[in-house]
Amino acid sequence: MQLTNRSEIVVNKKMTFMERLYLPAILSGLMITVKHLFKKRATIKYPEETRPVAAVYRGWHVLKRDEQGRENCTACGLCAVACPAEAITMTAAERKKGEEHLYREEKYAEVYEINMLRCIFCGLCEEACPKEAIFLTDRMVPSNYDRGGFIFGKDKLVEGTSPDTRIDISKRTNAHRKP
Amino acid sequence: MEFIIVKFVLVVIVFLVSLGVAAYSTYAERKIAAFLQDRVGPDRAGPFGLLQPIADGVKMFMKEEIIPTNADKGLFILGPSIMMMTATMTGVVIPWGNSLFINGTEYPVQITDVNIGILYIFGVVSIGVYGIMIGGWASNNKYSLMGAIRASSQMISYELAMGMSIIALVMTTGTLSIREIVEQQQGFHWNVFAQPLGFLLFIVCAFAECNRTPFDLPECETELVGGYHTEYSSMKLGFYLFAEYINMFISAAIISSLYFGGYNFPFIDQLGLSHNMLTLLGTLIFFGKIFFFIFFFMWIRWTIPRFRYDQLMHLGWRIMIPLAIFNIFLTAGIVLWKNGQLF
Ligand code: SF4
Ligand code: SF4
């Protein structure tokens, strides 16, 4: 029975004298390796160059703010429930008087942490969120020297208020829509 | 007095050059390895990573120095020292260039022209085996000892074939002085054309002597942890590895002076340059040949996989040595026939 057309019949033939000399084989090997000296390098020098990623790439999360700069998240905990890796933990707090410009709803996440070592970047938190607060972005999670550095709090997750610190998620949200 | 100063300056220069070339061979090795594998290689320290050897050196010196409690301390330190010493010692008999006329006096660009230069090199190289053996023994670790035994038996076996391939060369040149051998190769009369088989044997043995791939059996992560230098750390390990690179440099120099004309190059007389200029040019060309052979060592390393130990011994004793003996007889026959003493 032949499963592929690439199979070869094994023969136990004696090597000829030329083959036993090995030198022709070594020379042809040398020729093959030296050709690689002039080939294109496959390396991407990471911090300076980045590999182009797909529009729907799921990387480092962002907690969005609305147009007036208020945090969307209402600490409902649905994302944490949806998360299969149990990477999300949060503590909810009540919005005080005078904080209306900071948080959109009466409840907000005082602490919101994602453990990037647990996260499998499945995007289910994004699906679960009723407030359009959490999205995954095309940014890579940077490396770190200790595990504690991979627990991303609100300082790393919430986007800034000024227009240039906003994180663009349009590629992902558009990719979800049917044309 | 002046003689001593000149020799001293030469010794220092040769020493520094060997160290420099060895240091940058480590860099070249990594770069060439990377290029042959379509990678980039070290490029973070300085432009193109040129400061990498310095960074490596600093790292080696700063690392913690560990001498195992049960190791023989004296011998443990002696091992890498012998390696380093023998590696740097061989450079003295190599003619790095012709001669320079300074103020009417002739100074040969060679530290000493002993008339048994080849024997001297063989003598010193065989002391290098002690460095490995002592290092492995003093570590008081059976894996190191086994690695050392392997390494030294490999080196001894290949030294035999190497010596015999040289005998054929000595038969045609009629001298043991390296300078004379180089001078006989004036122009394009390189020995490699007269002794192709001897050259092949010699270069294979040189690979084995330097413990370079495909004969890098002293280092064998899979079988013997790390081979004879398992217990070594920081600069002592650095010396072992560094000595290997110096050895590579010296063997490249020996190969090019014994078989590729040393500082000679074709059409040397047609250039019409002054003697000193020719000497400098010759030295440059000599270094070009050396660098080619260092590149060749690395090229081979990334082409051919490592031997199995029994294959290595088989090749050494049952192929290389008979071939070397055959080469001796062949050369003898040809020499006699040329002199009209045969038939
Ligand atoms: S992407 Fe998936 S694993 Fe990561 S936090 Fe969101 S739900 Fe959890
Ligand atoms: S991110 Fe969305 S799902 Fe998660 S707690 Fe906030 S509002 Fe709820």
Side-chain angles (χ1 to χ4, degrees):
Chain A
M1 189 179 65
Q2 207 172 16
L3 293 176
T4 68
N5 53 4
R6 287 184 302 175
S7 60
E8 270 180 47
I9 297 155
V10 180
V11 283
N12 204 6
K13 79 168 173 62
K14 280 260 179 287
M15 285 197 286
T16 62
F17 179 69
M18 271 318 256
E19 280 170 337
R20 269 192 295 133
L21 267 185
Y22 289 119
L23 288 179
I26 289 174
L27 281 183
S28 69
L30 286 173
M31 285 296 104
I32 290 170
T33 41
V34 82
K35 268 188 211 136
H36 281 264
L37 269 183
F38 310 104
K39 287 230 173 108
K40 207 176 153 285
R41 315 270 163 248
T43 312
I44 295 172
K45 300 188 179 182
Y46 170 58
E48 295 102 55
E49 292 167 36
T50 42
R51 185 192 288 270
V53 292
V56 289
Y57 181 82
R58 297 192 291 248
W60 187 352
H61 313 62
V62 61
L63 284 171
K64 294 297 286 181
R65 295 174 185 272
D66 66 2
E67 308 77 52
Q68 297 160 42
R70 303 175 298 183
E71 285 176 21
N72 278 351
C73 175
T74 182
C76 65
L78 285 176
C79 50
V81 173
C83 178
E86 302 192 351
I88 305 178
T89 42
M90 75 188 75
T91 315
E94 198 182 337
R95 184 178 71 183
K96 300 274 160 35
K97 250 202 163 35
E99 288 180 337
E100 285 84 359
H101 64 291
L102 290 178
Y103 312 108
R104 200 167 64 175
E105 315 279 338
E106 294 87 66
K107 203 170 87 175
Y108 70 95
E110 192 181 24
V111 178
Y112 190 107
E113 282 176 348
I114 302 182
N115 185 340
M116 290 297 177
L117 289 177
R118 294 197 67 117
C119 176
I120 53 170
F121 301 97
C122 60
L124 289 183
C125 46
E126 178 183 294
E127 305 262 323
C129 181
K131 297 289 180 184
E132 302 237 306
I134 190 161
F135 288 96
L136 280 76
T137 65
D138 58 1
R139 296 173 298 165
M140 314 240 171
V141 176
S143 51
N144 208 314
Y145 283 108
D146 55 273
R147 300 171 75 86
F150 283 105
I151 296 174
F152 282 21
K154 276 179 84 171
D155 54 324
K156 288 194 181 139
L157 293 172
V158 183
E159 64 176 349
T161 41
S162 67
D164 53 307
T165 50
R166 288 283 177 127
I167 311 278
D168 181 23
I169 50 148
S170 54
K171 270 192 251 160
R172 274 188 71 69
T173 44
N174 291 338
H176 280 244
R177 287 201 189 100
K178 299 254 159 57
Chain B
M1 191 60 213
E2 200 188 11
F3 175 78
I4 292 177
I5 292 174
V6 169
K7 291 300 174 195
F8 183 74
V9 168
L10 263 177
V11 166
V12 171
I13 291 176
V14 168
F15 181 66
L16 290 182
V17 165
S18 339
L19 291 192
V21 171
Y24 274 87
S25 302
T26 63
Y27 168 76
E29 172 106 53
R30 293 173 65 179
K31 270 293 193 197
I32 288 170
F35 287 164
L36 291 178
Q37 298 169 343
D38 300 341
R39 297 184 284 115
V40 176
D43 72 335
R44 296 288 130 163
F48 308 108
L50 274 174
L51 300 180
Q52 190 67 44
I54 298 166
D56 285 343
V58 170
K59 185 190 80 180
M60 280 290 191
F61 275 112
M62 304 303 267
K63 278 201 167 175
E64 192 189 355
E65 173 116 34
I66 296 168
I67 298 182
T69 328
N70 291 327
D72 188 326
K73 287 213 177 49
L75 291 181
F76 194 77
I77 296 168
L78 192 66
S81 330
I82 291 183
M83 270 309 260
M84 196 67 184
M85 200 179 69
T86 53
T88 46
M89 258 165 73
T90 34
V92 296
V93 290
I94 293 169
W96 301 98
N98 206 332
S99 55
L100 286 171
F101 280 99
I102 304 168
N103 295 334
T105 345
E106 187 176 4
Y107 296 106
V109 189
Q110 180 181 16
I111 294 168
T112 171
D113 180 19
V114 285
N115 51 11
I116 47 151
I118 297 177
L119 286 186
Y120 169 81
I121 285 178
F122 272 80
V124 172
V125 164
S126 50
I127 298 175
V129 180
Y130 286 85
I132 289 179
M133 200 60 221
I134 287 176
W137 167 258
S139 305
N140 200 5
N141 169 339
K142 49 177 166 285
Y143 291 109
S144 299
L145 182 61
M146 255 141 55
I149 290 173
R150 257 167 71 141
S152 40
S153 50
Q154 166 190 339
M155 288 175 88
I156 291 166
S157 330
Y158 277 82
E159 214 153 286
L160 278 174
M162 193 182 214
M164 288 198 219
S165 65
I166 284 296
I167 286 178
L169 182 76
V170 170
M171 283 159 84
T172 52
T173 56
T175 172
L176 281 168
S177 147
I178 300 182
R179 173 169 286 269
E180 251 173 71
I181 292 179
V182 170
E183 264 159 22
Q184 284 173 6
Q185 304 177 61
Q186 262 287 346
F188 211 47
H189 301 288
W190 292 356
N191 281 335
V192 62
F193 305 120
Q195 285 280 335
L197 182 59
F199 163 67
L200 205 66
L201 292 170
F202 188 82
I203 197 163
V204 172
C205 294
F207 274 91
E209 285 285 300
C210 296
N211 297 332
R212 295 285 306 183
T213 337
F215 307 104
D216 58 345
L217 285 144
E219 300 149 42
C220 36
E221 307 79 26
T222 41
E223 306 144 58
L224 292 177
V225 193
Y228 62 93
H229 53 51
T230 305
E231 299 288 355
Y232 282 88
S233 58
S234 92
M235 204 54 209
K236 288 216 248 348
L237 175 68
F239 274 152
Y240 268 129
L241 303 183
F242 203 64
E244 212 177 296
Y245 281 93
I246 303 179
N247 279 336
M248 192 162 80
F249 171 58
I250 299 289
S251 8
I254 294 172
I255 292 170
S256 20
S257 45
L258 290 189
Y259 288 98
F260 285 88
Y263 51 77
N264 287 310
F265 52 94
F267 317 115
I268 191 164
D269 304 320
Q270 275 102 310
L271 285 173
L273 292 170
S274 69
H275 182 80
N276 280 357
M277 281 310 288
L278 274 182
T279 302
L280 288 179
L281 197 60
T283 307
L284 277 185
I285 286 192
F286 186 43
F287 270 89
K289 288 174 189 170
I290 293 176
F291 291 146
F292 171 77
F293 277 103
I294 292 180
F295 169 74
F296 186 70
F297 269 83
M298 293 170 181
W299 187 8
I300 289 274
R301 171 164 183 183
W302 301 106
T303 304
I304 304 174
R306 189 183 282 168
F307 275 89
R308 220 169 52 208
Y309 197 69
D310 61 316
Q311 291 173 334
L312 172 101
M313 280 297 165
H314 180 271
L315 180 73
W317 285 97
R318 296 187 45 197
I319 299 176
M320 304 289 286
I321 292 179
L323 266 181
I325 294 173
F326 168 72
N327 192 34
I328 291 176
F329 279 105
L330 191 72
T331 315
I334 291 173
V335 169
L336 285 180
W337 179 65
K338 269 195 180 157
N339 292 352
Q341 284 159 304
L342 203 68
F343 313 123

mmCIF file of all heavy atoms in Angstrom, chain A residues 118-154:
data_model
loop_
_atom_site.group_PDB
_atom_site.id
_atom_site.type_symbol
_atom_site.label_atom_id
_atom_site.label_comp_id
_atom_site.label_asym_id
_atom_site.label_seq_id
_atom_site.Cartn_x
_atom_site.Cartn_y
_atom_site.Cartn_z
ATOM 1 N N ARG A 118 -1.401 34.141 32.395
ATOM 2 C CA ARG A 118 -2.510 33.189 32.353
ATOM 3 C C ARG A 118 -3.306 33.366 31.071
ATOM 4 O O ARG A 118 -3.833 32.397 30.526
ATOM 5 C CB ARG A 118 -3.439 33.423 33.536
ATOM 6 C CG ARG A 118 -2.825 33.125 34.878
ATOM 7 C CD ARG A 118 -3.920 32.984 35.894
ATOM 8 N NE ARG A 118 -4.715 31.803 35.601
ATOM 9 C CZ ARG A 118 -4.820 30.760 36.422
ATOM 10 N NH1 ARG A 118 -4.223 30.786 37.578
ATOM 11 N NH2 ARG A 118 -5.556 29.726 36.090
ATOM 12 N N CYS A 119 -3.422 34.606 30.643
ATOM 13 C CA CYS A 119 -4.284 34.917 29.511
ATOM 14 C C CYS A 119 -3.879 34.107 28.281
ATOM 15 O O CYS A 119 -2.699 33.956 27.986
ATOM 16 C CB CYS A 119 -4.173 36.395 29.205
ATOM 17 S SG CYS A 119 -5.105 36.880 27.770
ATOM 18 N N ILE A 120 -4.869 33.568 27.593
ATOM 19 C CA ILE A 120 -4.581 32.823 26.373
ATOM 20 C C ILE A 120 -4.998 33.625 25.146
ATOM 21 O O ILE A 120 -5.073 33.106 24.044
ATOM 22 C CB ILE A 120 -5.285 31.458 26.380
ATOM 23 C CG1 ILE A 120 -6.765 31.648 26.658
ATOM 24 C CG2 ILE A 120 -4.662 30.527 27.390
ATOM 25 C CD1 ILE A 120 -7.582 30.403 26.451
ATOM 26 N N PHE A 121 -5.321 34.875 25.355
ATOM 27 C CA PHE A 121 -5.680 35.789 24.263
ATOM 28 C C PHE A 121 -6.772 35.202 23.378
ATOM 29 O O PHE A 121 -6.691 35.228 22.163
ATOM 30 C CB PHE A 121 -4.423 36.166 23.458
ATOM 31 C CG PHE A 121 -3.394 36.831 24.312
ATOM 32 C CD1 PHE A 121 -2.349 36.115 24.844
ATOM 33 C CD2 PHE A 121 -3.518 38.169 24.637
ATOM 34 C CE1 PHE A 121 -1.432 36.717 25.670
ATOM 35 C CE2 PHE A 121 -2.599 38.777 25.462
ATOM 36 C CZ PHE A 121 -1.550 38.049 25.984
ATOM 37 N N CYS A 122 -7.813 34.687 24.058
ATOM 38 C CA CYS A 122 -8.906 34.088 23.301
ATOM 39 C C CYS A 122 -9.903 35.138 22.849
ATOM 40 O O CYS A 122 -10.660 34.934 21.912
ATOM 41 C CB CYS A 122 -9.621 33.049 24.149
ATOM 42 S SG CYS A 122 -10.309 33.755 25.643
ATOM 43 N N GLY A 123 -9.949 36.258 23.552
ATOM 44 C CA GLY A 123 -10.861 37.319 23.170
ATOM 45 C C GLY A 123 -12.265 37.154 23.722
ATOM 46 O O GLY A 123 -13.167 37.907 23.350
ATOM 47 N N LEU A 124 -12.466 36.199 24.626
ATOM 48 C CA LEU A 124 -13.827 36.000 25.151
ATOM 49 C C LEU A 124 -14.243 37.144 26.063
ATOM 50 O O LEU A 124 -15.425 37.461 26.174
ATOM 51 C CB LEU A 124 -13.921 34.673 25.900
ATOM 52 C CG LEU A 124 -13.867 33.433 25.013
ATOM 53 C CD1 LEU A 124 -14.045 32.178 25.843
ATOM 54 C CD2 LEU A 124 -14.936 33.501 23.941
ATOM 55 N N CYS A 125 -13.276 37.792 26.713
ATOM 56 C CA CYS A 125 -13.626 38.934 27.568
ATOM 57 C C CYS A 125 -14.237 40.036 26.713
ATOM 58 O O CYS A 125 -15.237 40.659 27.103
ATOM 59 C CB CYS A 125 -12.400 39.439 28.307
ATOM 60 S SG CYS A 125 -10.929 39.614 27.297
ATOM 61 N N GLU A 126 -13.659 40.206 25.562
ATOM 62 C CA GLU A 126 -14.152 41.222 24.639
ATOM 63 C C GLU A 126 -15.580 40.907 24.197
ATOM 64 O O GLU A 126 -16.449 41.780 24.140
ATOM 65 C CB GLU A 126 -13.193 41.236 23.449
ATOM 66 C CG GLU A 126 -13.510 42.170 22.346
ATOM 67 C CD GLU A 126 -12.500 41.981 21.223
ATOM 68 O OE1 GLU A 126 -11.319 42.280 21.440
ATOM 69 O OE2 GLU A 126 -12.897 41.521 20.139
ATOM 70 N N GLU A 127 -15.835 39.636 23.933
ATOM 71 C CA GLU A 127 -17.172 39.210 23.527
ATOM 72 C C GLU A 127 -18.167 39.406 24.650
ATOM 73 O O GLU A 127 -19.332 39.765 24.412
ATOM 74 C CB GLU A 127 -17.156 37.715 23.166
ATOM 75 C CG GLU A 127 -16.147 37.332 22.139
ATOM 76 C CD GLU A 127 -16.765 37.237 20.762
ATOM 77 O OE1 GLU A 127 -17.915 36.779 20.681
ATOM 78 O OE2 GLU A 127 -16.100 37.669 19.815
ATOM 79 N N ALA A 128 -17.707 39.132 25.874
ATOM 80 C CA ALA A 128 -18.643 39.128 27.001
ATOM 81 C C ALA A 128 -19.015 40.535 27.442
ATOM 82 O O ALA A 128 -20.082 40.745 28.017
ATOM 83 C CB ALA A 128 -18.026 38.374 28.174
ATOM 84 N N CYS A 129 -18.179 41.487 27.179
ATOM 85 C CA CYS A 129 -18.377 42.812 27.765
ATOM 86 C C CYS A 129 -19.624 43.498 27.192
ATOM 87 O O CYS A 129 -19.727 43.703 25.982
ATOM 88 C CB CYS A 129 -17.157 43.679 27.512
ATOM 89 S SG CYS A 129 -17.317 45.303 28.231
ATOM 90 N N PRO A 130 -20.564 43.880 28.041
ATOM 91 C CA PRO A 130 -21.768 44.552 27.551
ATOM 92 C C PRO A 130 -21.547 46.045 27.335
ATOM 93 O O PRO A 130 -22.397 46.718 26.764
ATOM 94 C CB PRO A 130 -22.775 44.314 28.672
ATOM 95 C CG PRO A 130 -21.943 44.201 29.884
ATOM 96 C CD PRO A 130 -20.629 43.639 29.476
ATOM 97 N N LYS A 131 -20.452 46.573 27.816
ATOM 98 C CA LYS A 131 -20.255 48.019 27.803
ATOM 99 C C LYS A 131 -19.209 48.466 26.779
ATOM 100 O O LYS A 131 -18.761 49.610 26.815
ATOM 101 C CB LYS A 131 -19.814 48.489 29.200
ATOM 102 C CG LYS A 131 -20.837 48.240 30.280
ATOM 103 C CD LYS A 131 -22.020 49.160 30.105
ATOM 104 C CE LYS A 131 -23.041 48.902 31.199
ATOM 105 N NZ LYS A 131 -24.268 49.704 31.018
ATOM 106 N N GLU A 132 -18.788 47.562 25.917
ATOM 107 C CA GLU A 132 -17.730 47.894 24.955
ATOM 108 C C GLU A 132 -16.516 48.490 25.659
ATOM 109 O O GLU A 132 -15.949 49.487 25.216
ATOM 110 C CB GLU A 132 -18.236 48.893 23.903
ATOM 111 C CG GLU A 132 -19.436 48.393 23.144
ATOM 112 C CD GLU A 132 -19.213 48.373 21.660
ATOM 113 O OE1 GLU A 132 -18.849 49.425 21.119
ATOM 114 O OE2 GLU A 132 -19.355 47.302 21.051
ATOM 115 N N ALA A 133 -16.169 47.897 26.786
ATOM 116 C CA ALA A 133 -15.076 48.473 27.569
ATOM 117 C C ALA A 133 -13.745 47.800 27.286
ATOM 118 O O ALA A 133 -12.717 48.465 27.215
ATOM 119 C CB ALA A 133 -15.388 48.367 29.057
ATOM 120 N N ILE A 134 -13.759 46.484 27.130
ATOM 121 C CA ILE A 134 -12.463 45.817 26.967
ATOM 122 C C ILE A 134 -12.309 45.318 25.538
ATOM 123 O O ILE A 134 -13.255 44.810 24.937
ATOM 124 C CB ILE A 134 -12.290 44.672 27.992
ATOM 125 C CG1 ILE A 134 -10.840 44.167 27.973
ATOM 126 C CG2 ILE A 134 -13.258 43.533 27.744
ATOM 127 C CD1 ILE A 134 -10.477 43.396 29.198
ATOM 128 N N PHE A 135 -11.129 45.551 25.001
ATOM 129 C CA PHE A 135 -10.801 45.072 23.652
ATOM 130 C C PHE A 135 -9.383 44.549 23.665
ATOM 131 O O PHE A 135 -8.549 44.992 24.456
ATOM 132 C CB PHE A 135 -10.901 46.207 22.628
ATOM 133 C CG PHE A 135 -12.307 46.629 22.330
ATOM 134 C CD1 PHE A 135 -12.880 47.701 22.991
ATOM 135 C CD2 PHE A 135 -13.070 45.932 21.393
ATOM 136 C CE1 PHE A 135 -14.179 48.077 22.725
ATOM 137 C CE2 PHE A 135 -14.370 46.313 21.128
ATOM 138 C CZ PHE A 135 -14.932 47.394 21.798
ATOM 139 N N LEU A 136 -9.141 43.627 22.755
ATOM 140 C CA LEU A 136 -7.751 43.208 22.564
ATOM 141 C C LEU A 136 -7.199 44.019 21.399
ATOM 142 O O LEU A 136 -7.934 44.343 20.474
ATOM 143 C CB LEU A 136 -7.665 41.708 22.278
ATOM 144 C CG LEU A 136 -7.756 40.830 23.534
ATOM 145 C CD1 LEU A 136 -9.170 40.747 24.037
ATOM 146 C CD2 LEU A 136 -7.216 39.459 23.257
ATOM 147 N N THR A 137 -5.924 44.348 21.474
ATOM 148 C CA THR A 137 -5.345 45.201 20.444
ATOM 149 C C THR A 137 -4.227 44.464 19.714
ATOM 150 O O THR A 137 -3.893 43.324 20.061
ATOM 151 C CB THR A 137 -4.759 46.480 21.051
ATOM 152 O OG1 THR A 137 -3.678 46.103 21.892
ATOM 153 C CG2 THR A 137 -5.787 47.222 21.857
ATOM 154 N N ASP A 138 -3.644 45.126 18.735
ATOM 155 C CA ASP A 138 -2.558 44.491 17.990
ATOM 156 C C ASP A 138 -1.203 44.704 18.642
ATOM 157 O O ASP A 138 -0.180 44.401 18.058
ATOM 158 C CB ASP A 138 -2.541 45.014 16.547
ATOM 159 C CG ASP A 138 -2.391 46.518 16.493
ATOM 160 O OD1 ASP A 138 -2.290 47.144 17.566
ATOM 161 O OD2 ASP A 138 -2.389 47.072 15.373
ATOM 162 N N ARG A 139 -1.172 45.235 19.865
ATOM 163 C CA ARG A 139 0.124 45.434 20.526
ATOM 164 C C ARG A 139 0.571 44.131 21.175
ATOM 165 O O ARG A 139 -0.239 43.392 21.715
ATOM 166 C CB ARG A 139 -0.009 46.524 21.607
ATOM 167 C CG ARG A 139 -0.356 47.881 21.051
ATOM 168 C CD ARG A 139 -0.626 48.858 22.167
ATOM 169 N NE ARG A 139 -1.762 48.442 22.965
ATOM 170 C CZ ARG A 139 -2.041 48.948 24.173
ATOM 171 N NH1 ARG A 139 -1.263 49.858 24.706
ATOM 172 N NH2 ARG A 139 -3.099 48.530 24.839
ATOM 173 N N MET A 140 1.863 43.877 21.122
ATOM 174 C CA MET A 140 2.387 42.687 21.783
ATOM 175 C C MET A 140 2.597 42.973 23.251
ATOM 176 O O MET A 140 2.951 44.096 23.632
ATOM 177 C CB MET A 140 3.745 42.317 21.195
ATOM 178 C CG MET A 140 3.776 42.345 19.704
ATOM 179 S SD MET A 140 4.184 40.763 19.092
ATOM 180 C CE MET A 140 3.885 40.987 17.361
ATOM 181 N N VAL A 141 2.468 41.940 24.058
ATOM 182 C CA VAL A 141 2.775 42.095 25.482
ATOM 183 C C VAL A 141 4.289 42.070 25.624
ATOM 184 O O VAL A 141 4.932 41.112 25.195
ATOM 185 C CB VAL A 141 2.135 40.964 26.291
ATOM 186 C CG1 VAL A 141 2.540 41.062 27.745
ATOM 187 C CG2 VAL A 141 0.633 41.030 26.151
ATOM 188 N N PRO A 142 4.888 43.116 26.176
ATOM 189 C CA PRO A 142 6.354 43.138 26.250
ATOM 190 C C PRO A 142 6.884 42.109 27.241
ATOM 191 O O PRO A 142 6.172 41.694 28.160
ATOM 192 C CB PRO A 142 6.661 44.563 26.714
ATOM 193 C CG PRO A 142 5.418 45.040 27.350
ATOM 194 C CD PRO A 142 4.273 44.316 26.728
ATOM 195 N N SER A 143 8.129 41.715 27.041
ATOM 196 C CA SER A 143 8.723 40.731 27.951
ATOM 197 C C SER A 143 9.097 41.393 29.263
ATOM 198 O O SER A 143 9.160 42.616 29.366
ATOM 199 C CB SER A 143 9.957 40.109 27.308
ATOM 200 O OG SER A 143 10.799 41.127 26.857
ATOM 201 N N ASN A 144 9.336 40.580 30.251
ATOM 202 C CA ASN A 144 9.629 41.116 31.568
ATOM 203 C C ASN A 144 10.556 40.172 32.300
ATOM 204 O O ASN A 144 10.659 39.010 31.938
ATOM 205 C CB ASN A 144 8.327 41.271 32.348
ATOM 206 C CG ASN A 144 8.418 42.384 33.355
ATOM 207 O OD1 ASN A 144 9.393 42.491 34.071
ATOM 208 N ND2 ASN A 144 7.402 43.223 33.379
ATOM 209 N N TYR A 145 11.231 40.669 33.325
ATOM 210 C CA TYR A 145 12.171 39.820 34.051
ATOM 211 C C TYR A 145 11.517 39.027 35.161
ATOM 212 O O TYR A 145 12.049 38.022 35.599
ATOM 213 C CB TYR A 145 13.323 40.648 34.623
ATOM 214 C CG TYR A 145 14.326 41.018 33.572
ATOM 215 C CD1 TYR A 145 14.433 42.306 33.106
ATOM 216 C CD2 TYR A 145 15.153 40.045 33.024
ATOM 217 C CE1 TYR A 145 15.338 42.636 32.129
ATOM 218 C CE2 TYR A 145 16.066 40.363 32.049
ATOM 219 C CZ TYR A 145 16.155 41.663 31.597
ATOM 220 O OH TYR A 145 17.044 41.969 30.620
ATOM 221 N N ASP A 146 10.379 39.501 35.718
ATOM 222 C CA ASP A 146 9.766 38.703 36.779
ATOM 223 C C ASP A 146 8.277 38.550 36.524
ATOM 224 O O ASP A 146 7.668 39.317 35.793
ATOM 225 C CB ASP A 146 10.031 39.326 38.160
ATOM 226 C CG ASP A 146 9.597 40.751 38.239
ATOM 227 O OD1 ASP A 146 10.408 41.644 37.880
ATOM 228 O OD2 ASP A 146 8.446 40.991 38.629
ATOM 229 N N ARG A 147 7.747 37.513 37.163
ATOM 230 C CA ARG A 147 6.359 37.163 36.870
ATOM 231 C C ARG A 147 5.404 38.255 37.319
ATOM 232 O O ARG A 147 4.353 38.446 36.712
ATOM 233 C CB ARG A 147 6.021 35.842 37.547
ATOM 234 C CG ARG A 147 6.911 34.713 37.076
ATOM 235 C CD ARG A 147 6.716 33.469 37.891
ATOM 236 N NE ARG A 147 5.476 32.810 37.545
ATOM 237 C CZ ARG A 147 5.347 31.948 36.559
ATOM 238 N NH1 ARG A 147 6.401 31.633 35.851
ATOM 239 N NH2 ARG A 147 4.195 31.396 36.282
ATOM 240 N N GLY A 148 5.767 38.951 38.410
ATOM 241 C CA GLY A 148 4.901 40.012 38.892
ATOM 242 C C GLY A 148 4.687 41.086 37.840
ATOM 243 O O GLY A 148 3.617 41.696 37.752
ATOM 244 N N GLY A 149 5.696 41.283 37.008
ATOM 245 C CA GLY A 149 5.595 42.302 35.978
ATOM 246 C C GLY A 149 4.563 41.993 34.913
ATOM 247 O O GLY A 149 4.248 42.854 34.097
ATOM 248 N N PHE A 150 4.067 40.778 34.932
ATOM 249 C CA PHE A 150 3.079 40.417 33.919
ATOM 250 C C PHE A 150 1.643 40.603 34.392
ATOM 251 O O PHE A 150 0.706 40.315 33.667
ATOM 252 C CB PHE A 150 3.279 38.970 33.479
ATOM 253 C CG PHE A 150 4.430 38.816 32.541
ATOM 254 C CD1 PHE A 150 5.626 38.261 32.964
ATOM 255 C CD2 PHE A 150 4.335 39.251 31.236
ATOM 256 C CE1 PHE A 150 6.689 38.137 32.107
ATOM 257 C CE2 PHE A 150 5.403 39.117 30.369
ATOM 258 C CZ PHE A 150 6.583 38.569 30.804
ATOM 259 N N ILE A 151 1.473 41.059 35.643
ATOM 260 C CA ILE A 151 0.121 41.360 36.106
ATOM 261 C C ILE A 151 -0.142 42.817 35.763
ATOM 262 O O ILE A 151 0.430 43.732 36.353
ATOM 263 C CB ILE A 151 -0.008 41.071 37.608
ATOM 264 C CG1 ILE A 151 0.205 39.572 37.830
ATOM 265 C CG2 ILE A 151 -1.367 41.509 38.114
ATOM 266 C CD1 ILE A 151 0.243 39.149 39.244
ATOM 267 N N PHE A 152 -0.972 43.004 34.755
ATOM 268 C CA PHE A 152 -1.190 44.348 34.237
ATOM 269 C C PHE A 152 -2.374 44.961 34.951
ATOM 270 O O PHE A 152 -3.502 44.467 34.861
ATOM 271 C CB PHE A 152 -1.461 44.294 32.720
ATOM 272 C CG PHE A 152 -0.220 44.117 31.896
ATOM 273 C CD1 PHE A 152 0.937 43.606 32.449
ATOM 274 C CD2 PHE A 152 -0.215 44.486 30.559
ATOM 275 C CE1 PHE A 152 2.084 43.443 31.699
ATOM 276 C CE2 PHE A 152 0.924 44.327 29.795
ATOM 277 C CZ PHE A 152 2.073 43.793 30.362
ATOM 278 N N GLY A 153 -2.122 46.063 35.649
ATOM 279 C CA GLY A 153 -3.208 46.761 36.330
ATOM 280 C C GLY A 153 -3.818 47.809 35.429
ATOM 281 O O GLY A 153 -3.561 47.857 34.220
ATOM 282 N N LYS A 154 -4.614 48.683 36.055
ATOM 283 C CA LYS A 154 -5.290 49.690 35.240
ATOM 284 C C LYS A 154 -4.306 50.656 34.592
ATOM 285 O O LYS A 154 -4.571 51.206 33.522
ATOM 286 C CB LYS A 154 -6.296 50.466 36.105
ATOM 287 C CG LYS A 154 -7.626 49.753 36.235
ATOM 288 C CD LYS A 154 -8.597 50.504 37.099
ATOM 289 C CE LYS A 154 -9.322 51.566 36.308
ATOM 290 N NZ LYS A 154 -10.419 52.163 37.107
#
